[in-house]
Amino acid sequence: MVPVAAAVAAQASPTLTAATRVIKVDGADIAYRIIGPQEGTPLLLLNRFRGTMDHWDPVLIDRIAAKRPVVMFDQPGFARSSGTPPDALPAFALSAAKLVRALGLQQVDVLGFSMGGTVALQMALDHPELVRTLVIAGSGPGHVPDIPAAFAASNAQVWPTATKPVNEDADFLFLFFGQSAASQALGKAYLARLQQRPDAFARQVDAAAWQAQLKSAMAAATPATSLLPRLGSIKQPTLVANGNNDIMVPTYASYAMQQAIADARLVVYPDSGHGFLFQYPEDFADEVLRFVR
């Protein structure tokens, strides 16, 4: 049974009540949700490692969707979508581009979080005609040279935790939020918000899918395969954002991307990490809306 308080919150939130739709793309049933007004350039969300539609913060998405249409989806073979999981960055970017075309959209703004940010960069490189603006959150382009020691994601617990068979709340709080009492409290509030959707996490990302995702990310982890040297060819206005101490993707990578992309700005949030956008959902939503207007 859904608690009364959660039920009331769900009724008031378009994100928590949005219908899950399905569209055929290359024979697969791709699950997606559209939230917000019918007019305006849609904002396409590209998710993180092991992320599903249910991991998007309703406070963040509701605030953006009050003014802009928002499209979220599960990649092929992920959570609610059928099909074969992509196993390379260009394949992830292509599946997103195919969804955009299948929905009849001419162009989108793209917000990519974590690995979704890397996919967003790949999408802008491979399918520039579809991308109007880019928002890259808590992400990187793959290998970044000369990362200062103070910014290196060197915590030995990070990837053993991120690749556990099942991630628990304590894992998310460690990976996504700072260690201060304030950051941890805001992380717990975010996790509680996710549970308010009545069918939250009906399907999770299975091991085969996230292992394919990990393979894709690791393929860009060398100087020869990193997207960083190619970012100069991205012409779209780009907003790069992160927490000041991201232990999953070093915050320094955000600076490196801002320097490499001609029309890019950088915003860094205090006392926060990889999940800064869920720690500061209202502030980040307003930043995104100012940027993509």
Side-chain angles (χ1 to χ4, degrees):
M1 179 179 295
V2 179
V4 173
V8 171
Q11 290 173 5
S13 167
T15 301
L16 294 173
T17 58
T20 301
R21 310 178 189 182
V22 173
I23 189 170
K24 286 282 188 184
V25 180
D26 288 347
D29 290 328
I30 302 302
Y32 71 100
R33 298 172 188 150
I34 298 181
I35 304 158
Q38 296 184 356
E39 297 182 352
T41 303
L43 178 68
L44 178 71
L45 305 183
L46 299 180
N47 220 329
R48 64 170 176 83
F49 178 62
R50 299 180 75 168
T52 74
M53 289 188 288
D54 294 337
H55 285 102
W56 290 109
D57 188 342
V59 172
L60 171 68
I61 304 307
D62 285 352
R63 197 171 180 96
I64 295 173
K67 296 185 178 180
R68 297 292 299 274
V70 175
V71 179
M72 61 179 70
F73 73 108
D74 289 334
Q75 285 274 6
F78 281 69
R80 288 176 165 90
S81 292
S82 69
T84 302
D87 64 355
L89 287 173
F92 274 100
L94 179 59
S95 70
K98 287 183 175 180
L99 174 67
V100 169
R101 296 188 177 104
L103 292 174
L105 303 175
Q106 299 301 308
Q107 201 171 47
V108 292
D109 298 315
V110 179
L111 189 164
F113 169 46
S114 190
M115 183 178 168
T118 314
V119 174
L121 295 172
Q122 187 78 58
M123 187 175 177
L125 291 168
D126 294 351
H127 311 280
E129 73 285 355
L130 295 180
V131 180
R132 191 180 75 110
T133 66
L134 280 172
V135 180
I136 310 298
S139 188
H143 175 77
V144 174
D146 304 322
I147 293 180
F151 291 96
S154 58
N155 192 311
Q157 293 178 264
V158 169
W159 286 107
T161 300
T163 56
K164 287 171 59 174
V166 176
N167 283 137
E168 300 173 347
D169 284 0
D171 300 324
F172 288 114
L173 292 171
F174 165 65
L175 293 170
F176 282 53
F177 296 91
Q179 295 306 301
S180 73
S183 185
Q184 288 286 297
L186 291 168
K188 291 175 183 176
Y190 157 69
L191 293 173
R193 291 194 293 272
L194 299 187
Q195 298 299 327
Q196 293 173 342
R197 185 177 171 94
D199 64 343
F201 309 112
R203 294 287 303 276
Q204 292 277 22
V205 177
D206 64 28
W210 66 253
Q211 286 169 3
Q213 201 174 24
L214 184 60
K215 174 184 175 183
S216 302
M218 295 307 296
T222 71
T225 57
S226 174
L227 298 183
L228 185 62
R230 300 176 57 193
L231 298 189
S233 64
I234 290 179
K235 306 305 180 186
Q236 290 88 345
T238 302
L239 171 65
V240 182
N242 208 340
N244 70 312
N245 185 28
D246 186 340
I247 65 171
M248 292 198 71
V249 184
T251 303
Y252 181 79
S254 296
Y255 170 76
M257 288 188 291
Q258 188 273 330
Q259 291 292 295
I261 299 172
D263 187 4
R265 67 186 68 180
L266 174 64
V267 178
V268 177
Y269 289 80
D271 186 30
S272 59
H274 196 61
F276 74 93
L277 64 171
F278 309 137
Q279 180 169 332
Y280 297 100
E282 295 95 343
D283 287 351
F284 185 60
D286 291 346
E287 190 73 43
V288 170
L289 287 168
R290 283 192 295 270
F291 181 75
V292 302
R293 67 171 182 252

